[in-house]
Amino acid sequence: MSKLKIDPNLVRTELNLELLQNLQTFQHPITLKYQALGGPGGWLGPNTTPINKCPDGVGSYQHYANGSIYYHPSTGAHEVHGLIRARWQSLGWERSFLGYPLTDESVCPDGVGRYNHFQGGSIYWSPSTGAWEVHGLIRAKYSSMGWERSFLGYPLTNESVCPDGVGRYNHFQGGSIYWTPSTGAQEVHGLIRQHWASIGWERSVLGYPTSDELAVFGGTGRISHFQRGSIFWSSTAGVRVLRERVRVHVKILETPSSFTLNQQFAAMQEVWAVSGIRVDWVTTENLNLPTLNDVDVGGCFMGQTTAEQNSLFGNRNFMSGNDLVVYYVRSTVPGYNGCAAHPAGRPGCVVVRSASRWTLGHEFGHVLGLSHVSNNDRLMTGLGTFNITNPPPDLTAAESTTMRNSALSTPL
């Protein structure tokens, strides 16, 4: 029997053709991306390197005259170019905390800025701010507020380490976000931020922010809370640092009718801010006590209370220590806007539902030791808070000192 002879050259030719066909059916994701962006004639220009493996042995990249394309199996192939690429490069490319790109460079909604998202953060660029990274919980806060569309605008810094080595921050066009493990990420902006900066940022007596800037009881005042105090702002009081506080509980027998609770608390905080005291509204409780809706307050003298006052002030649910309480009633007998006389050890006041917006702060002023004055520009006017002539009413320096020195005002 004759032996079958196989021409080795023919075998090699067949294998080479099969290999060539396989190569023609497979193109690297970077090549496909490059072609989609216009190839050598596109804005990336000609390649300046072959497709190379990244140091992690998983991803790949190719550099071009005007940018780069990076590929990872879990992220796909994305281009990075310009000053965003330069920032990414300065941080260590994909070996940095940012990792691989998740997007191409994209246009922000304003049509001006640009960004790339990465596995571990983002880089934002605009002509006036340059390219800066934002990541972690600061980035999460920035995202929750609306990215660069929020009042914060574009970042002005990378995430940076605070002098204590613990906190982190990014500054933005319209404010800052600060983070620590114990306080989380909080924004601070405007005149409150300006004042905080003037006293030393987080190195000041206030420490780090523990809240975003908030509306004060739904009013026009603004407040940011910090580890050891708060900063309050209003157009009338200006910027005030609050290092003391009172805790107030609300008990409602009759719902306020002339001014809402928010309006009354906002008015109280606006005036009391001048004294450096923060007003914390802690709880609200409705009481069904029909026999006390028109409560007998006698002569409303401090240290002297009636049986009805003693009964009313016995309702102190949820309260502790030096907490204050206000009872909203239909009327007092005899008729007053409010009365600060209270049983010993039960600090608080009664306010009628038709009281003025300043009555709450006025009555609690008595509780903290203030007396009436004959001046309708002052909170403690004895001529009726409906007759205040130049709102918001004033507290003097001496009155402020008395309030801060009260045992009912506690340090923050």
Side-chain angles (χ1 to χ4, degrees):
M1 179 183 292
S2 62
K3 294 182 178 179
L4 177 65
K5 293 184 179 180
I6 300 175
D7 185 345
N9 291 324
L10 180 61
V11 172
R12 280 195 295 270
T13 300
E14 292 296 328
L15 288 173
N16 287 340
L17 285 172
E18 183 179 358
L19 178 60
L20 180 60
Q21 289 171 348
N22 288 338
L23 288 173
Q24 287 174 337
T25 59
F26 171 78
Q27 286 185 303
H28 197 284
I30 288 179
T31 302
L32 294 174
K33 182 70 173 181
Y34 183 45
Q35 291 173 348
L37 294 172
W43 58 266
L44 277 176
N47 64 291
T48 58
T49 70
I51 295 175
N52 295 317
K53 278 289 185 184
C54 293
D56 63 8
V58 179
S60 305
Y61 71 91
Q62 189 167 36
H63 294 320
Y64 306 88
N66 298 310
S68 301
I69 296 176
Y70 273 73
Y71 165 80
H72 188 278
S74 66
T75 62
H78 299 287
E79 65 80 16
V80 188
H81 70 277
L83 292 177
I84 289 180
R85 177 182 181 272
R87 173 62 65 188
W88 188 43
Q89 178 184 8
S90 74
L91 294 168
W93 301 104
E94 82 290 344
R95 300 186 302 277
S96 72
F97 60 85
L98 286 178
Y100 286 88
L102 297 176
T103 67
D104 296 344
E105 182 174 304
S106 304
V107 181
C108 294
D110 63 7
V112 177
R114 302 289 190 274
Y115 69 91
N116 278 79
H117 292 320
F118 297 83
Q119 290 174 304
S122 301
I123 297 177
Y124 274 77
W125 170 91
S126 79
S128 62
T129 60
W132 303 100
E133 66 80 16
V134 58
H135 70 277
L137 291 177
I138 289 180
R139 177 183 181 271
K141 169 65 77 171
Y142 184 47
S143 169
S144 74
M145 297 176 65
W147 302 104
E148 80 291 344
R149 300 186 301 277
S150 72
F151 61 81
L152 287 177
Y154 287 91
L156 297 176
T157 68
N158 293 328
E159 182 175 305
S160 304
V161 182
C162 295
D164 63 7
V166 177
R168 302 289 191 273
Y169 69 90
N170 278 80
H171 292 321
F172 298 83
Q173 289 174 302
S176 301
I177 298 177
Y178 273 73
W179 171 91
T180 73
S182 62
T183 60
Q186 313 291 344
E187 66 80 15
V188 58
H189 70 277
L191 291 175
I192 289 178
R193 176 183 180 270
Q194 181 176 311
H195 188 79
W196 186 48
S198 74
I199 62 175
W201 300 102
E202 80 287 348
R203 301 185 301 278
S204 72
V205 67
L206 292 176
Y208 286 92
T210 58
S211 77
D212 296 340
E213 183 175 304
L214 307 169
V216 179
F217 303 118
T220 58
R222 309 291 294 181
I223 196 167
S224 287
H225 300 310
F226 296 82
Q227 289 173 305
R228 294 178 293 277
S230 301
I231 299 178
F232 171 88
W233 172 89
S234 76
S235 59
T236 55
V239 177
R240 303 284 178 166
V241 174
L242 313 181
R243 297 294 314 285
E244 302 273 332
R245 74 168 176 179
V246 292
R247 288 167 44 91
V248 179
H249 300 261
V250 175
K251 311 294 184 184
I252 301 175
L253 286 72
E254 291 282 339
T255 301
S257 56
S258 295
F259 296 92
T260 66
L261 286 171
N262 271 336
Q263 288 173 322
Q264 294 183 51
F265 271 92
M268 178 177 172
Q269 180 63 89
E270 183 169 18
V271 179
W272 282 40
V274 175
S275 298
I277 298 175
R278 191 177 84 196
V279 179
D280 289 355
W281 176 359
V282 185
T283 66
T284 303
E285 182 183 16
N286 292 309
L287 298 179
N288 183 21
L289 301 170
T291 61
L292 298 177
N293 283 346
D294 304 292
V295 63
D296 178 12
V297 297
C300 192
F301 296 118
M302 298 297 282
Q304 300 179 22
T305 53
T306 67
E308 288 191 356
Q309 284 174 297
N310 293 337
S311 176
L312 181 62
F313 278 79
N315 295 277
R316 291 179 62 84
N317 292 337
F318 317 117
M319 299 181 63
S320 62
N322 292 328
D323 288 1
L324 306 180
V325 61
V326 54
Y327 299 93
Y328 280 93
V329 299
R330 181 165 52 213
S331 67
T332 64
V333 180
Y336 301 113
N337 279 328
C339 178
H342 55 271
R346 300 176 185 178
C349 63
V350 172
V351 173
V352 301
R353 65 180 182 180
S354 58
S356 81
R357 72 168 64 229
W358 310 111
T359 300
L360 181 66
H362 173 99
E363 297 301 339
F364 276 134
H366 285 312
V367 175
L368 266 65
L370 302 186
S371 301
H372 278 146
V373 296
S374 297
N375 185 335
N376 280 343
D377 285 343
R378 302 259 294 275
L379 177 66
M380 300 313 297
T381 178
L383 306 175
T385 55
F386 273 111
N387 296 316
I388 286 173
T389 53
N390 188 28
D394 300 326
L395 284 168
T396 67
E399 288 172 330
S400 296
T401 299
T402 297
M403 294 167 69
R404 288 193 300 271
N405 288 340
S406 168
L408 302 174
S409 173
T410 57
L412 286 163

